[in-house]
Amino acid sequence: MDTSEVAAMLNTSMSWVYREASKLGLKGYKLGRGRNAKVLYKRSEIFKWLEQQKIH
């Protein structure tokens, strides 16, 4: 998933995803170089993080 897809799924901004991803334990995978590089995230890691956020 790219950053915009993650932001849409979590109902947040792309800047929030970039800023908070490492704090949340989401590892980004950079494709390309420079300003046009795309950062992708594993769908399974996002769902794993979401599962941990459940209120019991």
Side-chain angles (χ1 to χ4, degrees):
M1 297 178 77
D2 68 8
T3 308
S4 63
E5 292 172 327
V6 174
M9 187 174 85
L10 298 178
N11 198 26
T12 62
S13 66
M14 286 178 50
S15 61
W16 184 89
V17 174
Y18 283 123
R19 187 177 58 245
E20 300 294 324
S22 64
K23 295 177 190 174
L24 302 176
L26 300 176
K27 211 193 280 188
Y29 298 90
K30 189 174 175 182
L31 297 177
R33 293 163 67 165
R35 294 185 73 176
N36 295 326
K38 199 171 196 177
V39 178
L40 301 177
Y41 300 91
K42 286 187 176 181
R43 187 179 304 269
S44 61
E45 289 180 0
I46 295 166
F47 285 120
K48 182 179 174 184
W49 177 79
L50 281 172
E51 190 65 30
Q52 292 171 351
Q53 302 310 306
K54 250 189 203 177
I55 298 174
H56 298 287

